[in-house]
């Protein structure tokens, strides 16, 4: 593609992956011995996971982006003396619920206003079937959740009603505490970080053909691991590179797990020029990605593509606003159950920037290609909405203001500084 380059390449190193960081802390707490995690996510969500694990009796030391976790092995968790606050983090609540369902004590999981509105029946139902005693507000639909665990039975074949890595991982953790083998059937593959991490901690798990099988009561051993950069955080800079003509942005050390890379594939389908280098094929593949700004064209995102880019749909919508033609996203009703109703937030904020866009029950559409104008962005306390529209502001005429930039710290505390640096370099 004939792209005019403005010369200098800008390199950005994203923070450690949020999904992988949560899991490393939880596996570390369950394993016997000292786990050392480097490049742990600096966001508030992953700090909430560490605080909950400390309240469960796990000794954790944080030294910058290094976290040392002294896991207690089987029976190593103790009853917390207070409720466990998962703050804004769905991953903390849903994955911990799976672990706590296997413990012979009572615990209560709660969170902020947003998390207490999010659906929990998806984990409550399978955990009840495994024999855990748990309940929540609105008849078990919402947090706070009260869990009295222990004595779990395996689920012989549990078909996930939604393609959700959080639900899958919750059941994997519960399955580790059940006598026998638990089998989960996935409608569409979702991120497989839990499955990959099991082997790193000396556990066994079989996955393939839409099935995940895990045996209970395995001995997990402590591990040392480095968390790759977060592709979901990198997505904002990749999008900035893609939508700003002539730009050249290089992302260093980012996770390239195929079950998370849907956004890269979507950007390529939109016509974005991309180069990969320094590929490392380890327990979690990673490498460097470079994007070059140039013309983009609209795409259709079908339901089967959604799980691999579910968190990137707000920033994909921003790319769609710049791309020529009509982008249509379907099969993404899960977006209504994230930190905010993201379908509504995406469309409202695109419209505030002068873009023609609309909602459907399970997705949205965007008529792209016109000029964006600066606007007032309603973040709804949702970090990914805030970051997506801060990037949209780069391509807009006039000023764009976010009502609550503070919410970005949930996943990416240094985002605004990097954005300022990027603006100066452009
Ligand atoms: C996550 C899975 C996704 C994603 C969330 C993190 C995880 O949720 O939206 O931000 O770490 O497992 P679902 O699996 O529920 O879609």
């Amino acid at each position: 593609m004939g792209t005019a380059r403005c010369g200098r390449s800008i390199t950005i190193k994203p923070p450690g992956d949020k999904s992988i960081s949560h899991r490393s802390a939880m596996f570390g707490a369950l394993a016997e011995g000292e786990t050392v995690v480097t490049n742990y996510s600096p966001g508030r969500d992953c700090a909430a996971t560490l605080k909950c694990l400390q309240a469960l009796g796990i000794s954790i030391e944080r030294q910058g982006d290094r976290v040392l976790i002294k896991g207690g092995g089987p029976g190593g968790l103790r009853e917390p003396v207070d409720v466990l606050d998962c703050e804004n983090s769905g991953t903390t609540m849903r994955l911990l619920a799976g672990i706590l369902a296997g413990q012979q004590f009572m615990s209560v999981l709660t969170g902020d206003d947003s998390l207490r509105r999010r659906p929990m029946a998806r984990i409550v139902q399978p955990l009840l079937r495994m024999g855990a005693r748990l309940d929540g507000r609105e008849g078990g639909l919402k947090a706070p959740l009260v869990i009295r665990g222990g004595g779990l039975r395996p689920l012989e074949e549990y078909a996930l009603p939604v393609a959700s890595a959080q639900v899958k991982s919750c059941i994997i953790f519960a399955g580790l505490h059940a006598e026998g083998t638990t089998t989960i059937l996935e409608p569409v593959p979702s991120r497989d970080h839990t499955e990959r991490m099991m082997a790193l901690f000396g556990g066994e798990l079989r996955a393939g053909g839409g099935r995940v099988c895990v045996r209970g009561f395995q001995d997990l051993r402590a591990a040392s691991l480095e968390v790759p950069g977060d592709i979901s955080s990198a997505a904002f800079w990749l999008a900035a590179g893609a939508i700003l003509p002539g730009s050249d942005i290089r992302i260093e050390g980012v996770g390239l797990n195929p079950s998370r890379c849907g956004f890269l594939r979507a950007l390529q389908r939109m016509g974005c020029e991309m180069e990969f280098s320094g590929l490392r094929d380890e327990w979690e593949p990673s490498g460097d990605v470079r994007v070059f700004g140039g013309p983009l064209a609209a795409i259709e995102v079908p339901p089967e593509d959604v799980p691999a880019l579910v968190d990137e749909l707000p920033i994909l919508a921003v790319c769609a606003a710049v791309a020529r033609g009509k982008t249509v996203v379907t099969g993404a009703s899960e977006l209504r159950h994230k930190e905010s109703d993201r379908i509504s937030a995406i469309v409202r904020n695109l419209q505030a920037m002068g873009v023609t866009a609309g909602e459907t029950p399970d997705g949205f559409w965007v008529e792209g290609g016109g000029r964006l104008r600066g606007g007032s962005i309603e973040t709804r306390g949702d970090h990914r909405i805030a970051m997506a529209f801060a990037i949209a502001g780069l391509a807009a005429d006039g000023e764009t203001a976010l009502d609550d930039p503070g919410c970005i710290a949930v996943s990416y505390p240094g985002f605004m500084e990097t954005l300022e640096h990027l603006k100066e370099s452009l």
Side-chain angles (χ1 to χ4, degrees):
M1 187 179 303
T3 313
R5 306 260 158 86
C6 58
R8 208 147 70 85
S9 174
I10 299 158
T11 296
I12 297 173
K13 191 170 165 18
D17 188 273
K18 188 157 83 76
S19 290
I20 297 174
S21 296
H22 284 299
R23 287 160 171 79
S24 68
M26 292 184 198
F27 271 108
L30 294 177
E32 183 95 54
E34 185 171 88
T35 284
V36 182
V37 184
T38 48
N39 203 30
Y40 191 84
S41 162
R44 283 209 302 257
D45 273 8
C46 291
T49 289
L50 296 182
K51 278 187 246 161
C52 289
L53 292 171
Q54 282 171 321
L56 287 161
I58 300 296
S59 156
I60 296 179
E61 199 184 319
R62 202 160 179 176
Q63 305 165 337
D65 77 357
R66 231 164 83 99
V67 180
L68 312 181
I69 303 155
K70 289 209 178 74
L77 301 180
R78 61 145 207 257
E79 184 172 85
V81 294
D82 202 347
V83 298
L84 299 169
D85 188 358
C86 305
E87 301 182 20
N88 193 242
S89 175
T91 309
T92 306
M93 182 171 284
R94 295 196 175 115
L95 273 58
L96 265 187
I99 293 176
L100 294 172
Q103 311 301 319
Q104 303 277 1
F105 55 67
M106 195 204 83
S107 49
V108 180
L109 290 168
T110 191
D112 68 8
D113 291 354
S114 152
L115 187 53
R116 280 183 280 108
R117 277 195 300 269
R118 294 177 67 181
M120 293 299 151
R122 55 186 60 196
I123 54 162
V124 168
Q125 280 161 4
L127 293 177
L128 286 173
R129 279 182 50 183
M130 295 179 84
R133 287 169 295 162
L134 76 166
D135 208 346
R137 234 162 28 86
E138 295 183 20
L141 297 181
K142 305 263 170 73
L145 300 175
V146 185
I147 306 178
R148 275 181 195 280
L152 296 186
R153 303 182 286 275
L155 280 174
E156 274 174 22
E157 278 212 340
Y158 187 74
L160 293 175
V162 280
S164 163
Q166 291 184 349
V167 180
K168 175 176 63 176
S169 303
C170 168
I171 302 172
I172 293 175
F173 277 127
L176 273 176
H177 294 86
E179 201 68 67
T181 298
T182 290
T183 301
I184 306 159
L185 309 178
E186 285 200 276
V188 179
S190 62
R191 65 192 69 187
D192 62 358
H193 304 305
T194 311
E195 294 91 308
R196 287 170 182 262
M197 204 174 278
M198 185 76 82
L200 212 60
F201 281 85
E204 258 177 44
L205 175 147
R206 275 181 292 122
R211 295 170 87 84
V212 178
C213 305
V214 61
R215 192 167 39 78
F217 298 109
Q218 306 186 36
D219 289 330
L220 301 176
R221 289 188 313 270
S224 284
L225 59 112
E226 184 178 345
V227 177
D230 196 324
I231 183 78
S232 299
S233 299
F236 300 105
W237 312 121
L238 293 166
I243 65 177
L244 299 173
S247 64
D248 173 354
I249 296 184
R250 186 175 153 269
I251 308 293
E252 201 173 78
V254 68
L256 294 174
N257 178 324
S259 68
R260 284 286 294 285
C261 282
F263 181 66
L264 296 179
R265 297 190 284 269
L267 267 188
Q268 284 176 314
R269 283 204 290 131
M270 292 175 110
C272 176
E273 194 186 341
M274 207 175 276
E275 264 175 29
F276 294 86
S277 58
L279 296 176
R280 288 164 67 177
D281 194 14
E282 297 177 341
W283 59 289
E284 284 281 353
S286 63
D288 306 332
V289 186
R290 192 168 169 193
V291 288
F292 304 100
L296 297 179
I299 53 167
E300 289 195 0
V301 179
E304 60 274 19
D305 286 4
V306 167
L309 50 57
V310 66
D311 291 337
E312 289 65 75
L313 285 168
I315 189 63
L316 181 88
V318 170
C319 297
V322 173
R324 217 167 341 94
K326 182 175 178 180
T327 289
V328 183
V329 176
T330 51
S333 54
E334 273 300 300
L335 279 189
R336 295 206 185 269
H337 308 296
K338 298 292 178 188
E339 286 82 331
S340 69
D341 174 344
R342 287 186 176 159
I343 295 182
S344 155
I346 286 168
V347 171
R348 146 78 184 73
N349 287 312
L350 284 177
Q351 288 170 346
M353 297 188 82
V355 179
T356 305
E359 294 186 29
T360 58
D362 71 340
F364 59 89
W365 55 267
V366 183
E367 284 288 357
R371 286 295 303 171
L372 270 66
R373 54 160 205 263
S376 292
I377 301 303
E378 261 179 32
T379 61
R380 305 189 186 183
D382 185 330
H383 56 133
R384 300 212 193 274
I385 296 296
M387 289 186 275
F389 284 90
I391 297 295
L394 291 176
D397 300 324
E399 209 177 87
T400 294
L402 307 180
D403 62 1
D404 174 21
C407 65
I408 291 172
V410 154
S411 60
Y412 200 162
F415 175 85
M416 280 301 190
E417 288 74 21
T418 304
L419 183 64
E420 284 313 309
H421 172 68
L422 179 66
K423 281 184 191 164
E424 284 158 21
S425 324
L426 288 172

